[in-house]
Amino acid sequence: MTTMLGVKYVIPSWTDSSQSANPGSLGDPFNVVVIGAGNVNFGSDEGPWNHSYRLEQKIGPRLKIVALVDPVFERAADVLQKKRASFVESAYRDTVMYKTIHEFASAMKPDQKPKLILIGCPSAYRGSDEPGRDLEIQVMKLFPNSALFVEKPVASFEVSRAFAVANAINQSGVTCSVGYMLRYLKAVQMLKKIIRDNQLTVMATIARYACAYEAIVKPLWWDKELSGGPVIEQGTHFCDLSRYFGGDVDIPTVQAHSVQWNEAPGKLSKIGVDESKIPAENRIPRVTSANWKYKTGATGSLTHLVALQGTAYSCELEVYCDGYLLKLIDPYNEPILQVRRPGSDKDEIYTFKEDDPFLSEISAITDVIEKGQGAAEILSNFEDACKTYELTWAIRLASEKTHQTYNK
């Protein structure tokens, strides 16, 4: 693990060996299908993302991963071997690997019906109504009563097709959550409460996201045709938070500039992949700076930087209202909320120790599944996530357009 949201891998509900040996004694099993055996579902050294761990933590010994869907069996087998060698073995004891979700649907037994389908495969295979990229639509046809948890970004291609998926989800009535976990931070919810309780109107949002690129060693991430680029794939979290406070964006107002890989300020010294293997036109920008108007009339801005080394990111979001500066600092490590109010020039500092938004987002959807809609609030649905996706694409296209103009 990195220093980001240092999660302790101890799960109290699994420490009783008698319970983990006989999970059925605790109640009905909670069946889950996991799509994707990669980092977001099973963890990596790049960050704290690991949805399977949060499911283990939330559900405990009732958890049953009935299927792991991934076309690369070697990767899936490696994941299962590690899980079965750990204290959560009972959740993975009977897990079967499949290359496609249709294979599982054909082989599924009545007692394997999933309550939740966790979609964490690359976005190139989902988020569209186009055959071959319409995973969510196929899943809803095969398992109409199963809830969906979908990792961000919701797609990789046309924005209109992503909204078509959102429409299909809304019409189906299926419970669906998208993995914009920063909305669940206690600091973020406190910021939201201050705005609500004081009946404030947001004037501006200013976001900065500087990633530690040295630890990012997936070639796919460095190829914008595969990942979408750093704003779509990564900066999307701060675009989403900006929208969470500022509201819907007036998309035609989006403007952006960039520093490209072949410009002097864009030369990086510690890239962990061989970038020469990536076509020049697909290499990612090092800096993207964007601004826009919200439909409320407020303004927003984002600067995303591929600039830092080591492992720790540097991220801040400022929200301005009349008399107020609300600043979210370091949300990936130890979140801090800094508040300046009317009547004082001094900042109030609030800290939030060991707050795990990944667990909070998983807890929300599982509580809704088991207890009903009023049991918890899902803070990011698919349609709203599509609006964030739309903003990130608008930023990318605007930055590419201005770069082409600059280079003429």
Side-chain angles (χ1 to χ4, degrees):
M1 292 292 293
T2 70
T3 57
M4 296 167 66
L5 288 172
V7 177
K8 295 181 176 64
Y9 277 66
V10 175
I11 307 178
S13 60
W14 290 81
T15 57
D16 184 338
S17 60
S18 64
Q19 289 184 347
S20 59
N22 185 23
S25 64
L26 299 177
D28 293 336
F30 192 98
N31 291 346
V32 177
V33 171
V34 177
I35 302 178
N39 295 344
V40 71
N41 284 339
F42 292 98
S44 77
D45 291 335
E46 294 176 17
W49 33 86
N50 187 333
H51 292 317
S52 62
Y53 163 67
R54 272 66 178 205
L55 283 169
E56 295 155 10
Q57 188 175 12
K58 173 65 176 176
I59 305 300
R62 291 194 301 123
L63 178 64
K64 288 290 185 182
I65 307 299
V66 294
L68 176 54
V69 179
D70 194 298
V72 183
F73 269 13
E74 294 81 1
R75 180 170 56 199
D78 180 64
V79 164
L80 290 179
Q81 181 182 20
K82 292 176 181 176
K83 291 290 189 180
R84 288 167 177 167
S86 72
F87 62 92
V88 296
E89 178 270 342
S90 65
Y92 301 87
R93 186 180 301 157
D94 300 317
T95 305
V96 180
M97 298 183 297
Y98 297 93
K99 290 186 180 293
T100 70
I101 191 65
H102 290 86
E103 288 182 4
F104 168 66
S106 298
M108 184 183 70
K109 300 175 182 177
D111 62 353
Q112 293 179 318
K113 289 182 179 179
K115 293 185 177 181
L116 173 65
I117 298 178
L118 181 62
I119 301 178
C121 61
S123 56
Y125 303 103
R126 51 187 174 84
S128 174
D129 60 353
E130 181 182 0
R133 296 173 178 168
D134 58 343
L135 179 59
E136 294 90 349
I137 292 174
Q138 294 301 314
V139 166
M140 287 189 292
K141 289 179 179 178
L142 295 169
F143 309 98
N145 298 316
S146 298
L148 305 180
F149 182 92
V150 183
E151 186 49 44
K152 64 80 209 166
V154 291
S156 285
F157 301 99
E158 297 94 333
V159 171
S160 62
R161 290 187 178 274
F163 276 107
V165 176
N167 185 56
I169 290 173
N170 290 342
Q171 289 183 349
S172 74
V174 67
T175 297
C176 181
S177 176
V178 177
Y180 282 112
M181 77 288 177
L182 294 181
R183 292 190 178 201
Y184 294 83
L185 282 171
K186 292 177 182 177
V188 168
Q189 289 306 307
M190 182 176 179
L191 199 163
K192 195 81 168 175
K193 186 175 187 298
I194 291 171
I195 294 173
R196 182 175 60 249
D197 289 353
N198 293 279
Q199 298 182 324
L200 302 177
T201 299
V202 172
M203 300 171 65
T205 64
I206 302 173
R208 176 179 55 78
Y209 191 119
C211 75
Y213 73 86
E214 183 182 6
I216 302 175
V217 295
K218 293 183 295 185
L220 178 147
W221 191 87
W222 294 87
D223 187 328
K224 67 182 181 181
E225 288 308 301
L226 297 178
S227 67
V231 171
I232 292 173
E233 200 282 333
Q234 187 182 71
T236 183
H237 280 296
F238 266 39
C239 288
D240 188 72
L241 274 187
S242 298
R243 286 189 53 257
Y244 193 48
F245 297 110
D248 288 344
V249 174
D250 187 0
I251 294 298
T253 68
V254 174
Q255 300 175 320
H257 290 276
S258 63
V259 174
Q260 295 294 326
W261 65 274
N262 56 349
E263 295 182 279
K267 304 299 183 183
L268 301 178
S269 60
K270 286 200 172 182
I271 298 179
V273 302
D274 184 356
E275 202 175 23
S276 67
K277 295 182 179 179
I278 300 172
E281 64 273 16
N282 293 352
R283 296 176 196 173
I284 65 169
R286 299 346 189 187
V287 180
T288 304
S289 181
N291 62 77
W292 57 85
K293 288 275 285 184
Y294 294 103
K295 291 183 178 180
T296 62
T299 64
S301 68
L302 167 77
T303 298
H304 183 281
L305 305 100
V306 182
L308 300 181
Q309 299 175 7
T311 58
Y313 288 30
S314 177
C315 304
E316 294 185 1
L317 173 68
E318 296 178 347
V319 180
Y320 289 87
C321 307
D322 183 19
Y324 288 80
L325 166 57
L326 310 166
K327 181 185 286 190
L328 175 66
I329 303 170
D330 206 15
Y332 287 101
N333 297 287
E334 292 287 347
I336 297 171
L337 181 59
Q338 185 174 301
V339 180
R340 175 174 167 174
R341 301 176 188 264
S344 175
D345 292 341
K346 293 184 178 180
D347 293 327
E348 304 166 12
I349 306 297
Y350 301 91
T351 59
F352 306 84
K353 301 294 183 182
E354 298 184 1
D355 181 21
D356 184 357
F358 292 95
L359 176 60
S360 297
E361 67 180 356
I362 289 295
S363 293
I365 190 169
T366 53
D367 284 347
V368 169
I369 291 169
E370 296 211 290
K371 302 174 185 177
Q373 290 294 333
E377 184 179 6
I378 293 173
L379 299 179
S380 180
N381 61 45
F382 202 95
E383 183 177 9
D384 193 61
C386 284
K387 294 179 181 180
T388 294
Y389 181 63
E390 181 181 33
L391 173 59
T392 59
W393 259 108
I395 291 171
R396 172 179 162 176
L397 293 175
S399 68
E400 291 176 345
K401 181 178 180 180
T402 55
H403 180 70
Q404 290 171 359
T405 302
Y406 177 81
N407 280 342
K408 282 184 177 179

